[in-house]
Amino acid sequence: MADGILARYRALPTLERRSIIRSASPDLRAQLATLEAEMAMDRSPGALAAVLTHGKEMQARHLDIIDRIYQRIAAGERIRAMVTMPPRAGKSRRTSRWGPTWYLRRQPDHRFMLASYAAHLADDHGRWIRNTITEHASTLGIDLKYGSQAANRFDIDGHEGGMVTAGVGGPLTGRGAHVACVDDPFKGSEDAGSPTQRDRVWDWWQSVLLTRLEPQGSVLLVNTRWDDDDLSGRLLKEEPEDWIVIDLPALALTDDDPLGRRPGEALWPERYNEDDYARIRKSVGERVWWALYQQQPRPLEGGVWQWAWITGNRLSPVAFRGVDLSRVVVAIDPSGGAGAHNDETGIVAAGRSTDGHYYVLADRSGRLSAEERGRETCLLAMELGADAIVVETNYGGDSASQNVVQAWQQLEREGRTKGLLMPRIAPVNAKPGKRLRAEPIAQLYEQGLVHHLAEFDTLERQMVTWLPGMDSPDRMDAAVHALTELADPASAAVGSSNYSDRRLKGRR
């Protein structure tokens, strides 16, 4: 077929091309089938894999996200992307094998670097790519240069491109690279937990890998999060605006999940569903579960809160049905102060039962405007029947109180309050003595008196990572304010007797 005809055929919509194939002669149909395979291989790493494996390669929505990153890089876009996924989800196979193979086919004059925590693992990926190119050279349209076919370094015949692999910490010799992929820079939790090893990886990243990149080179970091200060953690602290983060935990954690999953939904239910992950979580333990599967590294023990105090006393909704609450409060901690973790407004609801136990009921914290935080606080208070709203007055507390009052009045005008009395405003100034306020609440946790009614992931991570002397994050502060209000003996007196307006009627 003439080149012009082929070009016109490529530009046709899928349905028109299929119609042409059905009506074509056997010889033309064979030529078009070959052309369709070439077009598929051009589209993405996943499509290339499907062609070369005759449809046997694993495909899934989360792997399509990796494909789109490679498509953008091959199109000339400079990208820095992090990919975090649980084990057995196909991330290394797609990012470190099919991805580089597809990229070198599309850009045979470009250099690709691949590194892992151990040289032999990086070499394994390089060997797989080398063998795939050699085996399918006629289909791919590229082959390896004679005399340059080592697993850790090979060149594309007739072109300037090729690949080099190395262990993290080792040298990356040769020419610069247009794409650098780092697949698991740490061996495991012990490796990532060593400050010396973390500094070593960081130094290698800055002095070796980045110095080998071409000016418009792209970086793809594929790893498991083991520590807040691991390579991903440090990069996100130093240059968060530079990175595209593809964070796909085994079970979705937030409503803005990249795949649109609801919290609790499995990443790839055809392979591992929620029940499978429940068994895995029980087998591997909380620390490994949150790092390896959820990409949310948990600290070692030693802070004011400990994980066991939270996870060991969590209460199911079914068990909570028998709880008789005497009080419910909502605490709001307006955003303020320095540091990225202070960009949120903490809004946390808690209750106290008649038998002296405490319950964290909801976390509605977020990056909210003044109007939004007042409305969200009031809506939560209405939903749970709160009798008080605790407002921290350190940063804009007076205006925060006004926001709450104004939001309640607006909800009254909208007919949303349905005759409910506005909860009293309980101001608190917590600037001095954060530790003095936090430690008594942590002791309640240690005594097994505080129960979380859900997995409040961000709040709980803030609690267990906080150490005295650190700036305290807003979600944690809001939870402490709510529980302090409920645990205060003076508050207990309020809770055991009726307000004059009988807002606690029906609660003992």
Side-chain angles (χ1 to χ4, degrees), residues 312-346:
N313 295 294
R314 204 183 302 279
L315 200 66
S316 69
V318 173
F320 182 64
R321 292 174 186 170
V323 173
D324 186 8
L325 293 179
S326 60
R327 289 199 67 198
V328 174
V329 302
V330 175
I332 176 173
D333 186 281
S335 60
H341 59 269
N342 283 317
D343 290 340
E344 291 188 322
T345 292

Side-chain angles (χ1 to χ4, degrees), residues 345-368:
T345 292
I347 303 176
V348 175
R352 188 187 67 220
S353 62
T354 54
D355 60 356
H357 283 245
Y358 304 87
Y359 302 85
V360 177
L361 305 173
D363 178 10
R364 299 290 170 80
S365 307
R367 290 176 171 81
L368 305 172

Side-chain angles (χ1 to χ4, degrees), residues 371-392:
E371 181 180 350
E372 289 170 337
R373 74 189 182 195
R375 189 176 181 87
E376 189 65 35
T377 299
C378 290
L379 288 173
L380 182 57
M382 290 167 49
E383 177 185 329
L384 299 176
D387 61 86
I389 295 175
V390 184
V391 181
E392 181 171 340

Side-chain angles (χ1 to χ4, degrees), residues 335-343 395 470-474:
S335 60
H341 59 269
N342 283 317
D343 290 340
Y395 298 104
M470 295 171 57
D471 289 336
S472 52
D474 298 301

Side-chain angles (χ1 to χ4, degrees), residues 432-449:
K434 293 277 190 180
R435 177 172 184 168
L436 293 178
R437 296 183 67 86
E439 287 189 338
I441 301 305
Q443 289 173 12
L444 294 177
Y445 276 84
E446 184 178 10
Q447 294 164 13
L449 296 176

Side-chain angles (χ1 to χ4, degrees), residues 200-503:
R200 173 177 169 268
V201 171
W202 181 248
D203 181 67
W204 173 85
W205 174 271
Q206 291 186 307
S207 62
V208 179
L209 183 131
L210 294 183
T211 63
R212 309 306 305 171
L213 272 182
E214 293 291 338
Q216 294 301 310
S218 292
V219 181
L220 183 56
L221 175 58
V222 188
N223 67 156
T224 292
R225 296 298 313 280
W226 285 110
D227 190 276
D228 278 341
D229 190 44
D230 60 15
L231 182 55
S232 283
R234 198 173 293 193
L235 287 168
L236 291 176
K237 291 172 188 174
E238 297 286 338
E239 47 195 43
E241 67 283 352
D242 293 344
W243 289 88
I244 298 170
V245 180
I246 304 171
D247 184 21
L248 291 167
L251 299 178
L253 292 169
T254 61
D255 291 325
D256 60 352
D257 181 79
L259 292 177
R261 297 178 293 167
R262 295 188 303 272
E265 288 188 7
L267 177 66
W268 200 353
E270 296 83 0
R271 283 176 61 81
Y272 295 99
N273 59 30
E274 288 86 347
D275 292 337
D276 295 327
Y277 280 130
R279 288 190 291 270
I280 290 172
R281 181 174 184 175
K282 185 177 180 180
S283 299
V284 302
E286 289 297 297
R287 180 167 169 77
V288 172
W289 165 256
W290 283 103
L292 197 63
Y293 289 87
Q294 294 295 84
Q295 314 312 316
Q296 301 285 334
R298 306 306 207 188
L300 296 171
E301 303 295 351
V304 175
W305 275 269
Q306 295 184 20
W307 275 115
W309 303 347
I310 299 173
T311 59
N313 295 294
R314 204 183 302 279
L315 200 66
S316 69
V318 173
F320 182 64
R321 292 174 186 170
V323 173
D324 186 8
L325 293 179
S326 60
R327 289 199 67 198
V328 174
V329 302
V330 175
I332 176 173
D333 186 281
S335 60
H341 59 269
N342 283 317
D343 290 340
E344 291 188 322
T345 292
I347 303 176
V348 175
R352 188 187 67 220
S353 62
T354 54
D355 60 356
H357 283 245
Y358 304 87
Y359 302 85
V360 177
L361 305 173
D363 178 10
R364 299 290 170 80
S365 307
R367 290 176 171 81
L368 305 172
S369 67
E371 181 180 350
E372 289 170 337
R373 74 189 182 195
R375 189 176 181 87
E376 189 65 35
T377 299
C378 290
L379 288 173
L380 182 57
M382 290 167 49
E383 177 185 329
L384 299 176
D387 61 86
I389 295 175
V390 184
V391 181
E392 181 171 340
T393 59
N394 296 0
Y395 298 104
D398 292 339
S399 64
S401 298
Q402 294 172 7
N403 294 147
V404 171
V405 173
Q406 291 167 357
W408 190 273
Q409 293 171 344
Q410 178 60 34
L411 290 169
E412 283 182 328
R413 289 191 289 270
E414 296 172 8
R416 299 284 298 275
T417 59
K418 297 181 180 179
L420 290 173
L421 292 165
M422 179 179 171
R424 71 181 177 90
I425 302 295
V428 57
N429 189 318
K431 187 172 184 179
K434 293 277 190 180
R435 177 172 184 168
L436 293 178
R437 296 183 67 86
E439 287 189 338
I441 301 305
Q443 289 173 12
L444 294 177
Y445 276 84
E446 184 178 10
Q447 294 164 13
L449 296 176
V450 183
H451 313 274
H452 289 197
L453 297 193
E455 290 188 358
F456 304 116
D457 176 64
T458 304
L459 168 63
E460 292 169 6
R461 280 192 292 114
Q462 288 181 356
M463 296 174 87
V464 297
T465 56
W466 185 73
L467 296 170
M470 295 171 57
D471 289 336
S472 52
D474 298 301
R475 292 177 191 243
M476 188 196 83
D477 278 349
V480 168
H481 298 331
L483 293 168
T484 299
E485 165 72 15
L486 295 171
D488 190 338
S491 166
V494 171
S496 61
S497 62
N498 288 334
Y499 283 84
S500 61
D501 55 27
R502 298 177 62 78
R503 72 185 66 194

